[in-house]
Amino acid sequence: DYLKRPEFTDPEIRRASLASVILRLRHLGLGAVEDFPFLDPPQPSRVQEGYRELAELGALDDNRQITAPGRRMANLPVQPRFARILLEARTNGALEPALIIVSMLSVQDPRERPQNKKGEAEAAHKRFLHAKSDFLGWLQLWKFYDDALATLPSKAQARKFCRQNFLNYLRMQE
């Protein structure tokens, strides 16, 4: 099996969504992604997917030119989909919860489920479940953590708190 595998992993430009790359190139005035001299150019179908995503988000117009929202999205250090969420949240007065949700979606799930304590972990995580939405559950998790941080005197105490509640301290910091 090992010998059948490729010697090297495909470059990220061939694996990841190209929406961010396309938006960044447009924002910087570097032209079309198809004309950029990549060492390993992306597949044309991936380029089309990137353009389609940016059009859906309103970042590019019908002529594939960057729009005003696209410029604002390009200035945010997150994926274009998340940037669009943040722009809309700001417009609708919901920026704080949207920042929390986008942050949670941008990192690996901070909830830990050790095999030897699976039941305890599930019980601890039940307090973060929300009947209407997983996103509202993320907000509950953040509020629980943020409230605790306000009362904990040190990083060591915060780490202990996370261990006790089956949360990964570093991911919560992210």
Side-chain angles (χ1 to χ4, degrees):
D1 180 54
Y2 175 76
L3 294 175
K4 291 178 187 174
R5 295 180 188 179
E7 187 176 359
F8 300 101
T9 304
D10 283 345
E12 187 173 356
I13 194 76
R14 292 183 170 265
R15 295 180 280 125
S17 167
L18 294 178
S20 292
V21 174
I22 293 168
L23 186 60
R24 177 70 51 209
L25 287 173
R26 291 291 182 183
H27 183 65
L28 295 174
L30 297 175
V33 69
E34 302 90 354
D35 301 330
F36 196 81
F38 291 108
L39 293 176
D40 289 307
Q43 298 169 343
S45 62
R46 303 295 302 238
V47 172
Q48 293 309 313
E49 287 173 26
Y51 278 123
R52 194 170 24 258
E53 180 179 339
L54 291 170
E56 282 177 19
L57 298 172
L60 298 180
D61 64 20
D62 292 340
N63 298 319
R64 295 185 171 171
Q65 298 302 310
I66 194 165
T67 63
R71 279 187 204 79
R72 289 192 300 274
M73 291 165 61
N75 285 322
L76 296 173
V78 293
Q79 297 173 31
R81 286 193 179 277
F82 294 156
R84 185 62 186 192
I85 290 169
L86 295 175
L87 291 179
E88 288 301 314
R90 182 175 180 225
T91 300
N92 292 297
L95 186 57
E96 185 176 342
L99 283 167
I100 294 166
I101 291 168
V102 165
S103 296
M104 289 292 201
L105 291 171
S106 298
V107 299
Q108 189 176 347
D109 188 344
R111 297 170 294 180
E112 294 184 331
R113 295 169 187 85
Q115 287 296 326
N116 60 341
K117 295 183 179 184
K118 204 170 189 177
E120 290 176 59
E122 286 178 9
H125 295 158
K126 277 188 180 182
R127 70 177 62 123
F128 312 128
L129 295 178
H130 194 282
K132 293 185 178 182
S133 167
D134 289 342
F135 297 130
L136 295 176
W138 285 122
L139 292 175
Q140 287 179 186
L141 168 58
W142 179 256
K143 181 167 177 24
F144 175 75
Y145 175 74
D146 195 43
D147 289 348
L149 277 186
T151 64
L152 296 171
S154 68
K155 284 185 181 183
Q157 291 291 329
R159 286 180 188 276
K160 183 178 177 184
F161 171 82
C162 284
R163 265 193 314 278
Q164 290 170 341
N165 290 284
F166 299 94
L167 300 172
N168 183 292
Y169 175 75
L170 294 177
R171 290 185 204 140
M172 291 303 294
Q173 290 297 299
E174 285 183 65

